Amino acid sequence: MLFRSIAGELPSIPDDLSIPQFILDSQHELRPDRPHGLPWLVADKSGKTLGLDEIQRRTNALAVRLRDGFGIRHNDPVVFFSSNHIDYPICMWAVHRLLGIVTPCNPSLTVPELVQVLKLAKPKLIVSHVDCLAVAVNAAEKFGIGADRIIVLQNQDESPSTQSAFGDSKTVEHLIQEGSKSTDLIHGRRFNSGEAKTQVAFYSSSSGTTGPPKMVKISHYAFIADIILTAALNKVGRKELSPRYVPGDRCLGVLPFYHIYGLVLILHFNFFAAISVVVVSKFNFADMLHSIDRYKINSLMVVPPQVVLLSKEPIVKNYDLSHIRTVLCSAAPLAGELYDQLIKLVPQATISQAYGSTEATGVVSMTQANEKHGRQCGIMAPGIQGRVVRSDGTLAGYDEEGELHIKTPASAMGYLDNEAATKETFLDDSWMRTGDLVKIDRNDEIVVLDRVKVRGFQVAPAELEGCILDHPLVADVGVVGVPDSFSGEVPLAFVTLTPEGHKLPLSDLKGSLHKHVAENKAPFKHLRYIEVIDSIPKTPSGKLLRRDLREKGRSLVARETKL
């Protein structure tokens, strides 16, 4: 059977606007009025604010300098290698004003990992935070980009340095000040009807639904569509129907902007909903609590590890959380026990969960607007259809397990330079495979049964498997995710050994493998568990039987937890 959204009619979605034109320059039937004087952005520690006029000025000035000083033009990719920053959206919108392509990536990437991103995206420019500038410069040199093609975001909560450059790299602030002297106005041309569906706005990193990491091509139209669908699902601007997201609220921007969750929901959705975003550059739990108290945060958008801290850390009682009206937890399902603890912590708040992916440009489903406590991943947003496909290819009904396929106006365009993966995920009839094992219950809510996520970040098993196979003592490997109370899931590697590997003490072998992965992969990809087995289960055709490994892994972890 096919499942259709029960959330109402599909709202109108403009197909002739760029993202900054939609967010900064236009109106929409669902968009509420912004209270007078309400800032769009607030720097967490310094309290510096940016309103629409200043955002427009800074965006235009930077666009002028990116055009004139760096030659950024239509379809030129720009890599963003930065933690959260009050000027992060300014930089994005400046690139989009020129119809360039923003490529946000995790600032914890190692030099080899960043080089991999650069080879795939082929950027003309890199925007790097000063704290990770050394990695950016090193990776850029290996790729063949000079340091003069890197621009630097200084620490947002400090006064901008009078220094205009770091070595050969100019600062964003310096470029904005230079561009402000120009009288040019760059709004970007209005697209022809339908053109926003074909103009790429983002290359966003994803592990994909299968295989190694990929770059997802997201159009301006798909990005705008997901904002509108999320607003419609939450009945934004209609407080009598939904108390969640109210004009004038304050949301804590603590999740990373390079992740699709932060990019769509924390930044652009909040701007659309007339909500201020308090930008936290780096996550620290005590600082997060202080910011919630200081700014009287109404809206928290978090991931399960942060809910663990909120529920268990004793320092929480030292802070006032009474003004929190709504909590959204997404990126991985929230355990029932944690949900109950969260209700006790903020009994006045609505608590919702959501399901989505980079390939779907963010939100697919969310707790219904009139439901105070949503324990599943909610109903599909307006305009989205779903089907649950069994392993034999037949369609499942209510409460039956299978892989979720969706059809959404916010579907991405495919994967960059990867036709095979695009065909595997983005099907000919506009359906998209998610790779996630789910069921849909009789409340039309999506229940996610299986997903490899570490603190909200997708980890591609194939990527880790390739890294581990590079170890000289490993003959074969299979990586799966196993439950973890803090991270949601963590990677477990089943390995078979070479004859030389069998000669090494098990503790030394595991230590060597942990070190090998740690030296080559970002921290969120590091292995938690390693299990040596005789053979990796596979089909006759050689396909790895992950479900068998996953069940075995969960049993091992459950037994170890009991011990």
Side-chain angles (χ1 to χ4, degrees):
M1 63 182 294
L2 297 182
F3 299 91
R4 290 179 169 82
S5 172
I6 61 171
E9 295 298 317
L10 176 67
S12 64
I13 303 169
D15 61 6
D16 58 353
L17 296 178
S18 68
I19 292 167
Q21 287 169 345
F22 174 72
I23 291 293
L24 301 177
D25 303 328
S26 70
Q27 293 298 318
H28 187 273
E29 63 198 80
L30 298 182
R31 188 168 192 169
D33 294 331
R34 176 173 287 269
H36 179 71
L38 181 75
W40 285 51
L41 291 155
V42 182
D44 176 39
K45 292 185 177 179
S46 70
K48 175 185 176 182
T49 63
L50 290 180
L52 178 59
D53 289 345
E54 183 67 2
I55 287 172
Q56 292 276 30
R57 184 190 70 81
R58 293 176 72 81
T59 299
N60 186 79
L62 184 58
V64 168
R65 293 305 302 141
L66 295 183
R67 181 195 64 186
D68 297 344
F70 297 91
I72 299 301
R73 297 290 187 270
H74 186 209
N75 285 337
D76 283 345
V78 178
V79 162
F80 283 54
F81 190 58
S82 175
S83 54
N84 290 2
H85 194 288
I86 197 171
D87 277 329
Y88 201 106
I90 306 294
C91 294
M92 289 196 299
W93 294 330
V95 173
H96 284 153
R97 289 284 194 203
L98 300 170
L99 297 185
I101 300 170
V102 173
T103 305
C105 59
N106 190 329
S108 71
L109 295 181
T110 63
V111 170
E113 288 171 324
L114 182 56
V115 170
Q116 184 182 17
V117 170
L118 299 180
K119 287 180 177 178
L120 191 56
K122 301 178 181 63
K124 299 293 180 67
L125 185 70
I126 299 173
V127 179
S128 173
H129 193 278
V130 64
D131 290 346
C132 46
L133 182 59
V135 173
V137 170
N138 195 337
E141 182 181 6
K142 292 181 183 299
F143 174 67
I145 292 180
D148 61 337
R149 304 293 297 184
I150 300 174
I151 60 175
V152 182
L153 281 166
Q154 298 167 266
N155 291 320
Q156 69 165 13
D157 293 306
E158 298 176 2
S159 298
S161 170
T162 55
Q163 187 178 2
S164 64
F166 288 79
D168 292 330
S169 303
K170 296 286 184 69
T171 68
V172 169
E173 183 63 33
H174 177 72
L175 294 173
I176 289 173
Q177 296 309 318
E178 281 190 335
S180 295
K181 300 173 185 176
S182 172
T183 58
D184 285 1
L185 293 178
I186 302 178
H187 292 291
R189 69 173 178 84
R190 187 155 184 155
F191 296 135
N192 297 322
S193 179
E195 191 179 353
K197 295 181 177 181
T198 61
Q199 175 61 51
V200 180
F202 292 98
Y203 292 154
S204 288
S205 297
S206 170
S207 63
T209 60
T210 60
K214 306 169 183 70
M215 288 285 187
V216 181
K217 297 189 297 183
I218 297 174
S219 70
H220 286 265
Y221 175 86
F223 198 90
I224 292 168
D226 204 75
I227 296 168
I228 292 173
L229 297 182
T230 305
L233 180 57
N234 284 282
K235 302 189 185 304
V236 163
R238 303 174 67 183
K239 188 175 181 180
E240 72 282 3
L241 297 178
S242 173
R244 279 189 203 153
Y245 304 112
V246 178
D249 276 359
R250 295 163 298 283
C251 179
L252 192 67
V254 68
L255 296 178
F257 295 163
Y258 58 81
H259 190 279
I260 198 71
Y261 186 176
L263 193 61
V264 175
L265 281 174
I266 292 181
L267 281 181
H268 292 82
F269 168 74
N270 277 318
F271 294 150
F272 181 87
I275 294 171
S276 293
V277 177
V278 178
V279 180
V280 178
S281 57
K282 289 183 180 179
F283 172 71
N284 174 282
F285 186 57
D287 289 347
M288 171 180 161
L289 292 171
H290 178 73
S291 299
I292 291 172
D293 199 346
R294 176 187 178 188
Y295 290 103
K296 301 294 183 278
I297 295 296
N298 314 109
S299 174
L300 273 184
M301 293 183 172
V302 293
V303 290
Q306 293 168 331
V307 176
V308 172
L309 295 173
L310 285 166
S311 302
K312 296 186 176 182
E313 288 294 325
I315 62 169
V316 173
K317 66 178 182 296
N318 298 330
Y319 297 89
D320 179 15
L321 307 183
S322 63
H323 34 76
I324 296 174
R325 188 191 314 106
T326 185
V327 179
L328 172 65
C329 185
S330 189
L334 188 62
E337 297 83 359
L338 283 175
Y339 205 105
D340 292 336
Q341 292 176 39
L342 187 57
I343 291 173
K344 291 179 181 178
L345 180 68
V346 284
Q348 77 283 359
T350 63
I351 299 172
S352 54
Q353 297 194 72
Y355 167 82
S357 69
T358 307
E359 285 77 8
T361 318
V363 172
V364 170
S365 66
M366 191 181 289
T367 303
Q368 293 191 68
N370 60 356
E371 187 175 353
K372 185 168 184 180
H373 295 147
R375 289 185 176 270
Q376 304 302 338
C377 292
I379 62 172
M380 291 181 290
I384 297 181
Q385 299 178 55
R387 66 189 184 195
V388 178
V389 183
R390 299 188 187 98
S391 56
D392 63 2
T394 60
L395 298 186
Y398 283 115
D399 294 318
E400 295 179 336
E401 297 182 9
E403 182 189 1
L404 178 66
H405 293 191
I406 62 168
K407 186 180 286 188
T408 171
S411 176
M413 301 166 67
Y415 297 113
L416 176 63
D417 294 337
N418 195 330
E419 185 177 352
T422 296
K423 287 183 176 180
E424 184 178 3
T425 299
F426 300 91
L427 307 180
D428 290 338
D429 53 359
S430 298
W431 286 92
M432 189 191 86
R433 294 183 58 194
T434 68
D436 291 325
L437 184 67
V438 308
K439 65 180 180 180
I440 294 180
D441 67 20
R442 294 189 177 274
N443 295 319
D444 285 290
E445 292 194 308
I446 294 175
V447 182
V448 176
L449 303 172
D450 180 49
R451 198 171 198 198
V452 181
K453 284 273 191 169
V454 179
R455 298 192 301 278
F457 301 114
Q458 293 189 69
V459 176
E463 179 188 12
L464 284 180
E465 287 160 2
C467 176
I468 295 166
L469 281 171
D470 282 339
H471 195 285
L473 302 181
V474 173
D476 201 359
V477 60
V479 174
V480 294
V482 292
D484 179 82
S485 60
F486 180 77
S487 295
E489 283 186 304
V490 291
L492 182 156
F494 289 96
V495 298
T496 63
L497 304 178
T498 63
E500 293 77 13
H502 284 289
K503 298 175 184 178
L504 201 65
L506 188 59
S507 60
D508 291 350
L509 172 78
K510 289 185 176 182
S512 178
L513 286 173
H514 280 298
K515 181 180 178 183
H516 175 72
V517 173
E519 289 176 345
N520 289 280
K521 297 298 173 185
F524 69 92
K525 300 177 185 177
H526 292 180
L527 294 174
R528 176 68 64 83
Y529 303 103
I530 298 171
E531 187 70 15
V532 177
I533 58 177
D534 293 331
S535 63
I536 304 295
K538 296 180 180 180
T539 65
S541 64
K543 185 176 181 180
L544 194 147
L545 293 171
R546 291 198 189 277
R547 181 174 294 183
D548 292 359
L549 286 180
R550 200 173 289 116
E551 291 174 358
K552 185 178 180 67
R554 287 174 175 170
S555 297
L556 288 169
V557 172
R559 186 167 66 245
E560 182 170 319
T561 302
K562 289 180 181 178
L563 293 175

